[in-house]
Amino acid sequence: GDSVTQTEGLVTLTEGLPVMLNCTYQTIYSNPFLFWYVQHLNESPRLLLKSFTDNKRTEHQGFHATLHKSSSSFHLQKSSAQLSDSALYYCALRGEEGSSGNKLIFGIGTLLSVKP
Amino acid sequence: GPKVLQIPSHQIIDMGQMVTLNCDPVSNHLYFYWYKQILGQQMEFLVNFYNGKVMEKSKLFKDQFSVERPDGSYFTLKIQPTALEDSAVYFCASSLARNTEVFFGKGTRLTVV
């Protein structure tokens, strides 16, 4: 079945250094949607980025990701980490248009901790 | 932004008892979801609900689980009877349409003792 893999459980960085959080996926769908959700402490998970276009960079709030279907990856990057980026980041997958409902398949999440 | 509210944030219940988790979805949304997250594991889809009916459910949605949204009020997840393995954080979510952005609540931490 469909699955999402986030290999890092915890990433600790110094402020100002670049961020890269890994996400790979497996799916039966040819045109899946990929998402990054961010959850700050005591908050709800909220959508950060989404994409379904192969090899097209998508950006929001300083973060960016590119869906690469050839490697089934959707890594999240930022050029310079800020203290406020400390949060739990989830990568998620959804089937293509017309597939079952709006069911999201989540990765286990990566906790990003940014230190001064 | 749009908010999904979940009440309560924490609940402790004796095994075998019934529990109802309440969710106040975004006001004009039509699709509703429950996800379950066991400690240390990923969030997993339980069920989605539209127009008064369950549209899809996963194998985690046991016979002891039920959902409803009577008269446009809270969207509820009822577990009757509860089991120890039901201990988890339950996230409610909603979306305006079938394939639009999904908004999540903060979750209800359920502990079955």
Side-chain angles (χ1 to χ4, degrees), chain B residues 12-32:
Chain B
I12 301 174
I13 194 122
D14 290 327
M15 184 175 64
Q17 297 299 303
M18 181 193 77
V19 69
T20 301
L21 307 184
N22 295 304
C23 172
D24 188 9
V26 178
S27 62
N28 61 336
H29 282 187
L30 301 175
Y31 289 78
F32 313 110

Side-chain angles (χ1 to χ4, degrees), chain A residues 46-50 58-65 76-77:
Chain A
R46 66 173 173 83
L47 182 63
L48 179 61
L49 288 173
K50 65 180 180 183
T58 182
E59 300 190 36
H60 187 60
Q61 296 183 336
F63 286 90
H64 62 93
L76 182 67
Q77 299 182 67

Side-chain angles (χ1 to χ4, degrees), chain B residues 27-56:
Chain B
S27 62
N28 61 336
H29 282 187
L30 301 175
Y31 289 78
F32 313 110
Y33 315 85
W34 284 103
Y35 285 79
K36 176 183 180 182
Q37 186 177 35
I38 294 172
L39 186 64
Q41 299 182 24
Q42 61 261 62
M43 247 191 289
E44 291 190 90
F45 171 81
L46 278 178
V47 65
N48 59 16
F49 188 85
Y50 168 72
N51 198 25
K53 294 193 290 277
V54 169
M55 302 301 290
E56 184 181 1

